[in-house]
Structures are given as structure tokens and as C-alpha cells.
Amino acid sequence: MPQVPQTLDALAVRTWCGLALEALGRAREEIDAINVYPVADGDTGTNLYLTVESAAAAVEAVFAGYETVTGVVGPTGSAASGAVSTEVTGTGLPTLADAVRAMAHGALIGARGNSGTILAQLLRGMAQVLAADGEVDGAAGGETDGATDGESAHTDGQALRLALRQAADSAREAVAHPVEGTVLTVATAAAEAATGTEGDCGTVACAAYEGARAALMATPGQLAVLERAGVVDAGGRGLLAVLAALAETFTGESPGAGRVAGEVHTRVNGMDGVSGVDRVDGVGRVDVNGVCVDSRPGEEGPAFEVTYLLEAEDADVARLRARLDRLGNSLVVVGGDGLWNVHVHADDAGAAVEAGVEAGRPYRIRITHFGLGDAHTAGAAGRPPRERAQRAVVAVVPGEGLAGLYAEAGATTVLARPGEPPASGELVEAVRRAHAREVVLLPNDADLRHTAAAAAEQARTEGVRVALIPTRSAVQGIAALAVHEPERRFDEDVVAMTSAAGATRYAEVAVAERQSWTMAGICQAGDVLGLIDGDVAVIGSDITATAETVLDRMLAAGGEMVTLVLGDDAPGSIAAHLEARVRESYLAVDTVAYRGGRQGALLLIGVE
């Protein structure tokens, strides 16, 4: 049996992350099944698991960085921070500050859904206390016990009490409109129980668990939607698993093992069962958990969930919060020190992303369309659980603007960041989020064909019928999506979409990064390249002139519709210039232009 940590140190953090990941892995399906508020489509447990997985991986990376230089005098690096030190590690172990900062950062960048975002802020709040220099400031939690040694103040029960209090407070501050009966309530109860407890870390952690457990059992009495469904709050249930792992870290035993073997039993409306699971068999997948929704019972919620990481200054984030609060609900913005995780439900997904663009640099953008008939309202639990949709479209898109455009058309999107193509696992996750029996997959990139094929095969093993249309550009995907009709037979719909994509020639205008041989000759770094159907056809020095030449060559073979997708760095007048060119020279050809955001290419062109 592994040695039980006696103090709160880096090894304890590592052990806690591992145990929490195991606990959430065991409870994931149970938590997924009981999520009915505000979006009853079932992956809160999965979101929490993925968030903790990212945190645990970051901690392991820090340990790996130290272990490779054990006992070596000279520069040593932290895998998480990239910092360089000239100290002798001696034991080959990171400091507590290294470990908790890595844990919080890993959770922040890997947070999924509403529940994961809140958990990331809880861990960040703890790290703010545990990684502080010198003695823990009693102002963080309003208590002191006379500790004078800075290190002991970071490793004993007092430090854990202060960290849990800071975690609960910072999470509540991150939520635009806190609602009681959610994970926020459970976190606050854990902090209050810990504050009133004297003793070592094990004693404090066990008290926090018991306080959270009692609060979780009371959540159905605080939210009518939970009471009607006969369940406790899913996010709170996940937090309880994380706190049980914290207690086990310092005691070697899961709290309450003698009573319920670590499971939470509840009796709601006269029904016995594990967290009310028996009452909600058949509840579909969940993208978010109702931590912060501000909808009232009976109101319909927004159509999209929008999440992204954001590099921005504090002042800009304050303005972003205000703007997003006007756009939608379920608003949570967590993070700090220039990096933030943003989560909101909104009807205008494009506006939510544009707000992030105005505030700073958004990336890892995820837009989920809840779908017509989704139970994503506070009053939805009174209706029958949502069945899988019959059909959905999953598309890879190269920019934020196109992500909003595709999502508004009903597609589930995966953002392909420049230089960071999505892995097959991301595509499989998007298929799961689409929550449909039949899925049309649009990779929109020739280099993603093998990745998309692997994802499609994996999804088929999970019982989803998947058709992969080999779109090579986002403009081909737009053409395919334009003729998509879910009411048609699946095969007929796939044939129509494939035909539309195949009938669309595609081009892009980009800037050469280095000297290269091309089909059009040798280009130099900084030259403007016009690529048609994937091959360089034009080398020029002016962006607008090169784009016009590319467009003329494409329309020489005929066409009825021109689609222009402008990147952020494209000249502001280029769309108007190309539209005028089409009107003057090509009768009966229509033109439509979209803003693509940071999409890599300056301009994408499609000709149908």
C-alpha cells in the first residue's frame, strides 16, 4: 500500500489528482445520468473526468521534469512552466507551489463544460493559497492559529482550511448569477465544515467531505427541477467524489466506506436509489451541468453553448463579462494572469465569439448546438428525457467566424487552429456531443482524411451511423451544409451533400512563409500565393490582385455562386472589390461573403 502523505506537499497533490481521476472514472456514468439542470443531455461526469485528467497530466509532467534531473547540479526545468532553476533538487521532487500551480493550470486549459469550468476555478482558488509565498495570510479565509513558519502554514490543516475557503469563494465570484442547490452550494458547505474543524489535513479533509455530502443531499430541496427528477445535483456529486479522494489522500481510506462504499444514496420523493439514478434511466447526454444557469423554470434557454480559452488583460475581461451577460446566461469566466476559460449559453454564438475577439485572443473554441427539442431549460426536467436526434452534422472549421456560421446552421463544430489540427479523439467527442443516431462528418481538410476516417470508425463501434464526406475545404463544407435536409433518407442526404461539395471548386490566398518550389514556380518568403484545389496556381505581391487572378481562373470554367471567407488579416476592401469584379464580368453569378476570423489563410474562395 502506498505511503499516506502526512502533510500537504507535492506528493499529496499528485496522489489526490490520481485518486480523484479514479473516483470520477468510477462515477462518471452515474453523474452523466443524473444531470437534469439546466441541460439534460448527460456528460457532466465526463466533463469533470476530462478536466481532472488534464490537471493530473500537468502534475505528472512537473514530476517527470524533476525526476530526470535528480541529484544533478545545474539547470533544471519544469515541464509545466518552462521555468529554469539552478538549484539542486536533491530528492527529485517539485515543491508544493510547483505542483498546485500545475494542477490549476492543467485544469484551466482542459476544463470541459460548465461543471469542468467551475472545478477548474475551485482548484485555482486552492492553488492561490497553497502556492503563496511566506506565511498564509489569515485574510484569505479570516482565520489564523498563530502559525509563524511559512512552510508549515502551507502544509498543515490550517492551510487546507484556507485553501478550501478560497476555492469556494473564487468559484462563486466567477459565476455571473449563482444558484443555490448546485456545486457552488456544495463547495461552500465543504469550506464551512472545514473552517470549523481543528486538526491535521486528514481531519480537515474528512470534515469537508461530510459537509459537502450533507449539502449535496439537500440540493433537491433547493432546486425544484432536481426534486421533480428525484436526483441530487450532478456537479455537486462530482465535487463530492473529488473531496472523497482528498480525504483518502491523507487517511488511506475513502470516507464513509463503511456506510455506502463511497456511493451517495438519496431518497427523493419516496424513491430509493444511488443518487436517484433509478429515477432517470434513459436521460440523454449532457454538455453542461446547471451550476450557474439563471433561467427561471418554464423558460426556454439559448440554443448554443460557447466555450473558449482567452488570452486577455483583466480590464478587457471585465468588459467581456458584461457583454456576454447581456448576450446569454450560464456565464462563467475563470482564470487570471492573462489566461481565461470562458463559458456561456447564447442564441448568437457568433456574437459570443466576437466578444472574445474584441477582448483578446480566443482559441480552442467549442460551439455546441443544443438542438431543437433539447431539454436545456430549468423547467425541462418535467418533460420526458430527450431522445437522440435522428441526424446531425459534425464539421471541422478553420476559424472562429466559420465556427459560428456552421453552428447557426445546426452543425457541431471542431475548431482547427493554425498548426494544431484536431486529433481523432476530438472528432469522436464532437460526434458524441452531437447526440444523434446518424452523423455526417465534414473534415474540410485533405490532410484530415485519415484522422476523420479513424474517428468515424470509432463512432461506428459506439452504435452511431457515420458517413464521411471527404470535403477538402471549409467552402466545400458550406456547400454541403446548404443542401443538408435531415428529413431525407440518410443515404439520399449524404449523396446530395457529397454532390454539392464535389461541385464546388476551392481556393485560398495565403502568404508564403519561406522560399519553396511550387507548381507556379519558385516563391520567396512574403510572396502572396493563390492556391486552387490545393496547388499553387498564382504567385503575386499584392493580396487583392492575386485574389482577383485566382477568381478569374476559377470562373473561366463557369459557376453560379462565389463564396468568400475573409480572414482577420485580409484587406478590408477585398470583399467589395471581388464582389464588384463578379458583378461586372460574370453575369448571373451571385456572391456571398463571410468573416472567418483567425483561419490561417487570408481568404478562402469557393465556386459552385
Side-chain angles (χ1 to χ4, degrees):
M1 178 178 175
Q3 183 177 358
V4 176
Q6 299 300 309
T7 58
L8 186 52
D9 56 14
L11 280 173
V13 173
R14 185 189 206 180
T15 301
W16 178 31
C17 287
L19 290 173
L21 191 61
E22 292 175 7
L24 287 171
R26 292 190 299 269
R28 181 181 61 79
E29 292 184 0
E30 172 201 331
I31 297 170
D32 283 347
I34 65 172
N35 185 195
V36 296
Y37 175 74
V39 185
D41 53 355
D43 64 359
T44 286
T46 301
N47 285 337
L48 290 168
Y49 179 87
L50 292 172
T51 302
V52 173
E53 183 180 47
S54 181
V59 173
E60 288 301 322
V62 169
F63 271 83
Y66 273 80
E67 288 167 358
T68 57
V69 294
T70 302
V72 176
V73 179
T76 61
S78 165
S81 65
V84 175
S85 170
T86 56
E87 297 179 1
V88 180
T89 59
T91 61
L93 296 178
T95 65
L96 173 62
D98 286 331
V100 294
R101 285 172 180 149
M103 174 184 69
H105 182 73
L108 178 66
I109 64 175
R112 301 294 181 92
N114 210 355
S115 53
T117 306
I118 292 296
L119 179 60
Q121 187 68 359
L122 288 166
L123 297 180
R124 176 179 171 81
M126 295 185 71
Q128 287 174 331
V129 171
L130 300 177
D133 293 330
E135 183 177 340
V136 175
D137 186 353
E143 63 165 307
T144 60
D145 61 5
T148 57
D149 177 34
E151 181 61 25
S152 67
H154 288 72
T155 60
D156 61 9
Q158 180 200 8
L160 187 55
R161 291 196 297 270
L162 295 173
L164 290 168
R165 168 54 62 190
Q166 177 66 13
D169 291 347
S170 62
R172 191 170 286 270
E173 290 170 1
V175 174
H177 302 285
V179 172
E180 298 306 326
T182 65
V183 65
L184 297 178
T185 305
V186 176
T188 298
E192 290 174 350
T195 299
T197 301
E198 297 293 333
D200 59 13
C201 290
T203 303
V204 171
C206 287
Y209 169 84
E210 291 298 340
R213 184 177 187 277
L216 178 65
M217 303 304 291
T219 55
Q222 295 173 295
L223 276 178
V225 62
L226 300 178
E227 186 173 19
R228 286 195 298 271
V231 299
V232 294
D233 177 66
R237 172 66 182 93
L239 178 59
L240 192 70
V242 173
L243 291 173
L246 181 63
E248 185 177 357
T249 297
F250 295 108
T251 65
E253 295 182 359
S254 180
R259 295 196 306 273
V260 205
E263 295 288 358
V264 178
H265 279 238
T266 185
R267 182 180 181 88
V268 180
N269 294 339
M271 298 292 292
D272 284 316
V274 179
S275 293
V277 170
D278 293 341
R279 289 291 308 280
V280 291
D281 287 346
V283 170
R285 296 190 58 75
V286 172
D287 281 330
V288 294
N289 127 68
V291 174
C292 65
V293 70
D294 53 0
S295 299
R296 265 62 63 184
E299 292 184 358
E300 292 190 359
F304 301 102
E305 179 193 41
V306 182
T307 64
Y308 48 83
L309 291 178
L310 178 70
E311 294 178 357
E313 299 299 324
D314 290 6
D316 296 318
V317 171
R319 290 190 290 271
L320 173 67
R321 288 179 193 268
R323 181 172 176 185
L324 291 179
D325 196 26
R326 293 191 296 270
L327 282 175
N329 61 33
S330 272
L331 174 61
V332 188
V333 181
V334 303
D337 302 321
L339 181 62
W340 308 83
N341 194 309
V342 179
H343 173 282
V344 68
H345 294 178
D347 282 319
D348 191 341
V353 174
E354 285 298 322
V357 172
E358 292 180 6
R361 187 180 80 85
Y363 59 103
R364 293 194 184 179
I365 298 168
R366 296 176 182 271
I367 299 176
T368 302
H369 185 266
F370 289 125
L372 295 176
D374 274 11
H376 67 288
T377 70
R383 300 197 293 268
R386 179 175 72 97
E387 296 290 335
R388 283 181 178 270
Q390 182 61 34
R391 191 172 309 156
V393 176
V394 173
V396 180
V397 291
E400 301 90 343
L402 281 181
L405 175 67
Y406 271 73
E408 288 171 7
T412 298
T413 62
V414 178
L415 187 67
R417 299 166 292 277
E420 296 183 56
S424 61
E426 291 184 71
L427 301 186
V428 173
E429 183 191 345
V431 171
R432 292 170 181 155
R433 283 190 285 125
H435 192 49
R437 297 183 182 89
E438 302 166 340
V439 170
V440 180
L441 182 57
L442 306 175
N444 290 342
D445 187 335
D447 293 335
L448 287 178
R449 60 187 183 278
H450 296 306
T451 300
E457 188 60 34
Q458 174 61 38
R460 291 182 188 116
T461 67
E462 299 178 9
V464 181
R465 188 181 184 188
V466 181
L468 172 60
I469 298 179
T471 48
R472 300 162 64 88
S473 171
V475 290
Q476 288 188 322
I478 291 173
L481 198 57
V483 300
H484 169 55
E485 292 186 13
E487 295 77 17
R488 280 193 298 226
R489 290 179 55 248
F490 185 60
D491 292 339
E492 293 176 354
D493 197 30
V494 171
V495 168
M497 295 176 72
T498 302
S499 297
T504 302
R505 300 189 69 194
Y506 64 95
E508 67 177 78
V509 176
V511 176
E513 296 180 356
R514 63 186 66 86
Q515 184 186 61
S516 302
W517 287 89
T518 76
M519 297 289 291
I522 300 175
C523 72
Q524 305 295 327
D527 283 348
V528 180
L529 306 180
L531 294 86
I532 299 177
D533 294 336
D535 294 322
V536 176
V538 180
I539 300 175
S541 57
D542 180 78
I543 295 172
T544 301
T546 301
E548 182 177 319
T549 301
V550 168
L551 186 57
D552 285 340
R553 291 195 183 185
M554 296 178 75
L555 287 173
E560 298 177 354
M561 169 68 76
V562 172
T563 300
L564 306 174
V565 182
L566 284 71
D568 280 350
D569 295 327
S573 61
I574 191 170
H577 180 89
L578 295 178
E579 288 172 346
R581 173 69 176 172
V582 171
R583 283 196 306 271
E584 294 168 2
S585 304
Y586 303 95
L587 298 178
V589 177
D590 294 324
T591 305
V592 61
Y594 303 106
R595 284 285 175 184
R598 294 179 176 85
Q599 61 186 22
L602 296 170
L603 175 69
L604 300 177
I605 303 174
V607 174
E608 300 176 44

